[in-house]
Amino acid sequence: MGDDSRVDDGRPARWERRAEGPLLLASVLFLAAYTVRVLAPGLPGAVRAVCLAVLVAVWAAGAVDYAVRWWLSGRGADFVRTHPLDTLVLVLPLLRPLRLVRVYEAVQRRTGRPRLPLHARVMTYAGLGAVLLGFTGALAVYQQEHTAPEASIRTFGDAVWWACATLATVGYGDLTPVTPLGRVVSVGVMMCGLALLGAVTGSFSSWLLQVFAREGDEDSAGPPER
C-alpha cells in the first residue's frame, strides 16, 4: 500500500516534467501565430488559416495537459483553486505566453545551477510577466480597436504605449479602448499590472528590510575582539 501511494504521488510531478518542454514550445508558437494574424492581415488566406490552426492546436494541447494533471492530482475542485494561472490560461488563451516565465526555472533545474534568491526570482518573474502580458495585451487591443469607429488606438505603436501606461498604473487617458472586448482586455491588464507591480515592490521592500536588519545585527555585535 505504501509503495503504491508513493508512486501515485509522483505521477503528477513526472507528467509536469515531461510536458513542460512541449508546453513552453507551444506557448512560443501561440504567441508567434497570434502576432502574425494580428500584425500581418495582408498575408494569403492559407497562411492565416495555418496560424489559426496553430492557435487552436495549442489551446487543445493545453486543455489536455490541464485535464491530465487534474485527473492525476485526485484533488477535484481543489486543483482549480490551487492552480489559478493554469485555469486562467485555459479560459483565456491569450495569457498562454505567461507560461514562458517558467523558462528560467526550467533551465536552472536542467543545468543544476543554483537558483536566484527568492526576492530576485519574484522580481525576475514579475518583469518577464509584465513584458509578455503587455505585448499580448497590446496585440489584443490593437486587433479590436484599430478598425473601430472613433477609436484612439489606430496603430500597434499606440497599443504598445497604452499597454505600458496601463501596466505601470499611470493611466494617462490619451489612448483608451472603445470596444467592449477592448475594455475587457483593458480591465484584465490593469488587474494584472497591479498584481505584478505589487509583487515587485513587495519583494524589493522585503529584501531591503532584510539587508537593513542584517546590517543592524552586525553593528550591534560590535567590532571583533582581538
Side-chain angles (χ1 to χ4, degrees), residues 8 55 104 109 117 152 202:
D8 290 342
L55 296 177
Y104 172 80
R109 284 200 300 268
S152 57

Side-chain angles (χ1 to χ4, degrees), residues 2 41 48 62 72-73 89 94 115-116 121 130 136 154 190 204 213 217 224:
R48 294 179 58 81
L72 290 176
S73 70
V89 167
L94 283 179
R115 298 183 301 177
L116 285 173
R121 275 188 287 156
T136 53
R154 293 293 185 181
M190 288 177 194
F204 184 69
D217 293 340

